[in-house]
Amino acid sequence: MSKVNQKSYKSGFIFLTTLFFLWGFITVLVDSLVPRLKDVFEMSYAKTVLVQFAFFMAFFVFSVPAGFLLSKIGYKKGIVLGLLIMATGCLLFYPAAEFRIFGIFLAGYFLLAGGITVLQVAANPYVALLGNEDGASSRLNLSQAFNSLGTTIAPIIGALFLLSDSIKTSQEINLLTEVEKSDYFIAEAATVQTPFLMISLFIVILALIFSFINLPKVMQENPKGGYISLLKNKLMLMGVAGIFVYVGAEVAIGSFLVNYFVEMNLPAIVSENQLMMNIANAIASNFNKSFSNSDPKSLVGIFVVFYWGGAMIGRFIGAYLTRIFAPAKVLSIFATMAIIMILISINTVGLISMWTILAVGLFNSIMFPTIFTLSLEGLGDLKAQASGLLCMAIVGGAIIPFAFGSLIDNFGFKTAFVLTIVCYGYILFYGRVKLKIANKN
């Protein structure tokens, strides 16, 4: 690779990694405002499920068309388009809050997720292509680490500056008079309208910046082959399945951690342990909370930050490990460790059980970027369309958690966790297959 290309690729990588951080930050900042909108709409459990469904279905709906479109317009224009779709979604939250129309809110959330999908389809393979293929996993792990950094910082910013006053419960709202209730909903709508306008404006500015940035061209337009040839590629389809089970397992565990902790009676164990209480209050202080009189779920729920924070730390570590070791080998080891942590957790009690299940987040860290880049190996200019198929598999985050929850309802947590072990078992299998191929070459 020439020095000119190296410099161009390095600059492109820095700009894209900045984008990863910003879209992670913006996405979670928006998420921190959604409870306000849920309050405005007096959302039932059914409506709450619809919100999650809209988010994950956007990946299913937008991914393949985005991959096809990118093959026509290129990665750079795809990134700009994704940002503009995100901005449009955020803008729709304004009239949704103003007129309290749930359908507009749902459409806005769907578009926001659609914009994120287009960004994922464009940015992930673009980072992988900015350099030698051997370093693709390392580069994407590093970019994804900064994405996780953005998602870690955003809730703290949201809690400190956007959600500093408390949201009333349904019971408290029911005690208000009709006039007080109307005033409360108007105030809640106003609370989110200005931040959403500012976020939308910021995203538009970001899109304008990226439209003028000189990013290296790494793909020919209108590549030959397309989805038909990709659907005949067994290794690529194995990667699609890997993304499906990974996202599903990660979301399933993260979604039910608090319930798992409560069932293990961890609130009582934590409240009796001064060190654990100090840790809980140290984390909670960032969110203007204290646990001296909190409910049990809030007390143990604060420790979930270690699950998602572990993913961020692990990606920084993974960026180094996948540079010095075969990415497929690192993936296999991390999948094995995730299985071991789950097995220890479901066969122990107390703090050991809690910390081992939280440690799964650390070993989740490198899975998405590593599976993603391994799946793109040898695909040439079909990487954009392959990225569409891989991002479509993120819908596993809607399907596997539902199956996990159903298993909990019918058989309990220990049986339900077997499903996640099967998911990580498949990722281990995929890693071993890719490692065997790499060793042959």
Side-chain angles (χ1 to χ4, degrees):
M1 188 186 302
S2 68
K3 289 184 178 180
V4 175
N5 277 345
Q6 285 181 336
K7 186 176 180 180
S8 176
Y9 283 3
K10 186 176 181 180
S11 299
F13 176 75
I14 291 170
F15 280 121
L16 284 167
T17 299
T18 302
L19 176 64
F20 271 82
F21 172 83
L22 289 172
W23 107 53
F25 180 85
I26 291 167
T27 302
V28 176
L29 196 63
V30 168
D31 284 344
S32 69
L33 290 168
V34 168
R36 292 286 191 186
L37 289 171
K38 289 181 179 179
D39 189 17
V40 169
F41 296 117
E42 298 179 274
M43 287 175 63
S44 62
Y45 286 113
K47 284 185 176 180
T48 302
V49 171
L50 272 178
V51 172
Q52 290 299 100
F53 183 77
F55 185 83
F56 282 106
M57 280 307 295
F59 285 93
F60 186 79
V61 172
F62 279 84
S63 292
V64 171
F68 176 78
L69 184 62
L70 288 174
S71 70
K72 304 293 183 184
I73 66 175
Y75 292 116
K76 178 181 171 179
K77 290 179 181 177
I79 289 169
V80 173
L81 177 63
L83 288 168
L84 291 176
I85 294 172
M86 283 181 68
T88 303
C90 288
L91 276 177
L92 284 178
F93 289 133
Y94 189 97
E98 180 72 23
F99 302 109
R100 295 186 64 210
I101 300 175
F102 180 70
I104 299 177
F105 165 65
L106 209 59
Y109 207 61
F110 181 75
L111 274 180
L112 173 66
I116 295 168
T117 303
V118 176
L119 281 179
Q120 289 266 24
V121 174
N124 283 304
Y126 201 177
V127 168
L129 286 165
L130 289 175
N132 296 326
E133 193 167 71
D134 291 344
S137 288
S138 178
R139 288 192 298 275
L140 192 53
N141 268 293
L142 184 57
S143 290
Q144 288 280 356
F146 279 94
N147 181 266
S148 295
L149 179 62
T151 62
T152 302
I153 293 173
I156 299 172
I157 300 298
L160 291 176
F161 298 104
L162 301 177
L163 300 174
S164 55
D165 57 318
S166 61
I167 300 173
K168 293 184 184 297
T169 63
S170 297
Q171 291 80 6
E172 290 171 331
I173 293 172
N174 290 333
L175 293 175
L176 300 175
T177 64
E178 288 302 315
V179 175
E180 290 172 334
K181 191 182 291 186
S182 176
D183 290 341
Y184 174 70
F185 286 135
I186 291 171
E188 284 296 287
T191 300
V192 296
Q193 284 174 325
T194 300
F196 274 123
L197 283 177
M198 292 175 64
I199 290 170
S200 183
L201 177 62
F202 179 75
I203 296 173
V204 169
I205 292 171
L206 199 59
L208 287 172
I209 291 171
F210 265 84
S211 66
F212 288 106
I213 288 173
N214 186 24
L215 293 175
K217 186 176 180 180
V218 293
M219 177 182 66
Q220 292 180 354
E221 294 180 7
N222 301 310
K224 296 179 180 179
Y227 288 112
I228 294 175
S229 61
L230 287 174
L231 292 174
K232 296 177 182 178
N233 189 318
K234 292 182 180 179
L235 279 174
M236 199 283 301
L237 292 178
M238 285 179 66
V240 171
I243 294 291
F244 181 90
V245 297
Y246 157 69
V247 176
E250 181 188 51
V251 174
I253 294 173
S255 298
F256 292 95
L257 274 177
V258 174
N259 306 81
Y260 181 52
F261 292 162
V262 170
E263 184 168 292
M264 291 191 299
N265 199 33
L266 273 169
I269 296 171
V270 170
S271 63
E272 292 171 4
N273 187 305
Q274 189 58 50
L275 175 61
M276 296 299 292
M277 283 299 295
N278 289 342
I279 294 172
N281 281 310
I283 300 170
S285 64
N286 292 310
F287 299 91
N288 295 330
K289 292 181 181 179
S290 174
F291 290 107
S292 56
N293 297 304
S294 291
D295 64 275
K297 286 187 176 181
S298 293
L299 176 57
V300 291
I302 201 70
F303 287 96
V304 176
V305 72
F306 287 101
Y307 179 75
W308 299 108
M312 176 189 68
I313 295 168
R315 280 174 177 167
F316 281 110
I317 297 170
Y320 173 73
L321 292 178
T322 51
R323 195 173 69 218
I324 61 174
F325 300 109
K329 184 175 184 179
V330 179
L331 178 65
S332 300
I333 292 171
F334 273 49
T336 301
M337 290 304 299
I339 293 169
I340 291 171
M341 292 299 105
I342 295 170
L343 287 172
I344 293 174
S345 182
I346 62 177
N347 287 289
T348 56
V349 294
L351 296 180
I352 293 176
S353 181
M354 183 184 84
W355 286 116
T356 49
I357 200 65
L358 290 174
V360 174
L362 177 67
F363 298 109
N364 277 337
S365 58
I366 61 106
M367 291 185 185
F368 182 92
T370 306
I371 294 170
F372 204 99
T373 51
L374 288 175
S375 303
L376 296 180
E377 286 180 347
L379 295 182
D381 288 330
L382 290 177
K383 284 184 170 67
Q385 287 155 300
S387 177
L389 292 173
L390 289 163
C391 287
M392 185 178 69
I394 292 174
V395 75
I399 296 171
I400 290 178
F402 177 79
F404 188 79
S406 299
L407 288 171
I408 295 170
D409 289 336
N410 291 289
F411 305 103
F413 273 101
K414 286 193 175 184
T415 301
F417 273 115
V418 173
L419 175 60
T420 62
I421 290 172
V422 171
C423 290
Y424 291 118
Y426 175 81
I427 294 169
L428 171 60
F429 168 72
Y430 175 70
R432 297 299 298 175
V433 169
K434 291 295 291 186
L435 183 61
K436 188 175 180 181
I437 292 170
N439 289 337
K440 282 184 179 180
N441 297 332

